[in-house]
Amino acid sequence: MKQKKTFFESLKSNFFVSLFIKLWKHPKGRIGLIIVAFLAICAIFAPVIAPYDPYDVTQRAAKGLSPSWEHPLGTTITTGQDIFSMLIYGTRVSLSVGVITGLCIALIGAIMGILAGYVGGIVDTIIMRAVDVMLVIPTLPLTIVLTNIFGKSYFMIVFIFTLFGWQGLARVIRSQVLVLKNTNYIKAAELAGASKWRIMFKHILPGVTHLLIMSTAMTSAGIMVAEAGLSFLGLGDPTAISWGKMLAEVQSGGALLFGHWWWIAAPGVGIFLAIFSFMRIGMALEEIFNPKMKQTGAAHKLFKSLNNDYIQEVFDSMNENTPESQEVGANE
C-alpha cells in the first residue's frame, strides 16, 4: 500500500502528468482535450469506424447519392466514394501532418534558439542571419517549385512546413535563453564545471519547455489550415485522402452547383474541430504558464471603460498632474 502511494505521488509530481491535470481542470483545455481525443480515436480506428474503405475501388457506390442510412453523408459526384468514410480516413492525414510538423518545428526551433542564445558569438550571428533570410523568402511559390521537383508526398509537405516554420520560435527561445543564462543556477552550473551541452539540455531546455509546448499546440492548428489550403490548390499527395483534398474535390465535382451542401460541410466541420481544439489547448496552456493572461473578460473591460466612476478617476488623475495643481500643492 505504501509503494502504491509512493508511485502515484511520483507520477503526480511528473511535469507532463501535472500539466495534463492542470489542463484537464481548465475549461478551455478540457474542451480541447476531449475533441483531440475524439479525433485521435477516429484516426486510429478509422478502418473500424468507417463503413467503407475509400481507397478500395470495389467499395464504391452510385455517384452523387444523397445522405441515407447506408451512406450517412452521401457519395461523391465524381467517383462515388462514401463521404463519411473519406471524412474519417482524412482525419489520419490532417491530424498527423499537423502534429508531426508542430513537433518538428518545436525541436528545430528549440535547438537553434538555445544555441543562438547560450553559445552566442559567431553561432548566434549565423543562426540569426539565417532566420532573417528565411523570413523574407516567399513560401508559397517556393512550395510549388519544391513539390513539382521532389513530388507531392506528405513527407515533402511536412519537410517544407518545417523548413519555413521554425524561425519565429527560434527567436522567441533565444530571447528567453538570454534571460536564463544570467540566472544564479546557470552560473552555479558553469562554476561547477558542467559542459555547455549539459547546461543547454539539462538546465536551459526545461526552462523553455512551456514555450515549446504552447508552440506545438498553436503551430499544429496553423499547419492543418495550411495543409488544407495546399491540398485544395492541388499541391497535396494525390494518393492520400485529407480534408483539404475533399474540399478540392468539392470544387472540381461541382457540389455547389448540384446543391450537395453535406459534401462541403463534412470536411469544413472536421477542419474547424481540429483547429478549434488545438487553439483551445494552446490558449489554456498560455493561461496556465502565464497566470497574468487570465484576466477579466473583454465585456467587463469594456463596461469598466464606460463606467462614469472610472472616467472620473482618469480626469482626477489628470488634474493632479496639471501645472496649476502642482503650484497649489507647492504653496500649501
Side-chain angles (χ1 to χ4, degrees):
M1 189 69 183
K2 186 177 180 179
Q3 293 180 352
K4 183 180 291 186
K5 184 178 180 181
T6 305
F7 170 76
F8 283 113
E9 287 179 351
S10 61
L11 185 64
K12 191 174 182 180
S13 62
N14 183 272
F15 172 76
F16 293 101
V17 175
S18 61
L19 179 60
F20 178 82
I21 295 174
K22 292 179 182 178
L23 197 59
W24 179 258
K25 292 181 180 179
H26 196 286
K28 296 178 183 177
R30 185 180 303 174
I31 294 173
L33 288 175
I34 292 173
I35 299 176
V36 168
F38 171 74
L39 294 175
I41 291 173
C42 291
I44 295 172
F45 300 101
V48 179
I49 299 173
Y52 303 94
D53 185 358
Y55 293 100
D56 190 353
V57 295
T58 63
Q59 297 188 22
R60 297 182 181 179
K63 299 178 181 179
L65 294 178
S66 299
S68 61
W69 288 109
E70 188 176 0
H71 300 282
L73 293 176
T75 60
T76 61
I77 299 173
T78 54
T79 58
Q81 292 172 289
D82 183 70
I83 297 175
F84 178 73
S85 300
M86 294 177 67
L87 179 66
I88 298 299
Y89 273 84
T91 310
R92 286 183 164 184
V93 175
S94 299
L95 202 63
S96 59
V97 169
V99 174
I100 292 173
T101 306
L103 292 174
C104 292
I105 289 175
L107 176 62
I108 297 177
I111 293 174
M112 294 299 180
I114 293 174
L115 284 174
Y118 184 73
V119 177
I122 187 65
V123 176
D124 183 24
T125 303
I126 293 174
I127 293 177
M128 287 299 102
R129 295 298 76 77
V131 168
D132 294 337
V133 172
M134 296 290 288
L135 287 175
V136 300
I137 294 177
T139 306
L140 183 58
L142 190 58
T143 301
I144 296 173
V145 172
L146 292 176
T147 52
N148 287 328
I149 295 175
F150 298 105
K152 299 179 180 180
S153 65
Y154 280 107
F155 172 79
M156 181 56 58
I157 298 297
V158 171
F159 173 76
I160 293 172
F161 285 153
T162 304
L163 180 65
F164 295 104
W166 61 269
Q167 295 83 10
L169 179 61
R171 278 188 165 183
V172 175
I173 296 297
R174 174 182 175 270
S175 62
Q176 183 69 18
V177 171
L178 291 175
V179 176
L180 292 176
K181 69 184 294 186
N182 294 318
T183 55
N184 293 330
Y185 74 94
I186 298 296
K187 296 296 184 182
E190 292 174 346
L191 293 175
S195 63
K196 287 187 176 181
W197 291 104
R198 179 176 177 82
I199 293 174
M200 285 190 292
F201 294 101
K202 183 71 174 178
H203 301 288
I204 293 181
L205 181 59
V208 298
T209 301
H210 62 289
L211 295 175
L212 299 178
I213 296 174
M214 286 190 296
S215 172
T216 302
M218 295 293 192
T219 304
S220 298
I223 293 300
M224 289 181 190
V225 178
E227 182 277 325
L230 289 179
S231 298
F232 181 77
L233 295 174
L235 300 176
D237 191 344
T239 62
I241 297 174
S242 69
W243 293 332
K245 187 180 178 183
M246 290 179 66
L247 290 176
E249 293 183 0
V250 165
Q251 184 186 32
S252 61
L256 289 173
L257 180 63
F258 293 100
H260 289 196
W261 59 268
W262 50 87
W263 190 5
I264 307 169
V269 171
I271 294 172
F272 168 76
L273 287 177
I275 297 171
F276 178 79
S277 61
F278 279 98
M279 291 297 291
R280 292 285 98 180
I281 292 175
M283 288 187 288
L285 289 172
E286 191 173 15
E287 293 180 2
I288 290 172
F289 291 126
N290 187 9
K292 293 181 180 179
M293 294 294 296
K294 193 174 183 180
Q295 300 294 340
T296 54
H300 178 76
K301 292 179 180 178
L302 179 62
F303 175 78
K304 183 179 179 181
S305 65
L306 297 177
N307 192 320
N308 293 330
D309 296 336
Y310 175 72
I311 297 175
Q312 187 62 40
E313 290 176 4
V314 173
F315 280 111
D316 292 341
S317 63
M318 292 174 62
N319 293 331
E320 291 175 359
N321 295 325
T322 57
E324 292 81 358
S325 63
Q326 293 177 357
E327 184 177 352
V328 172
N331 292 332
E332 291 177 354

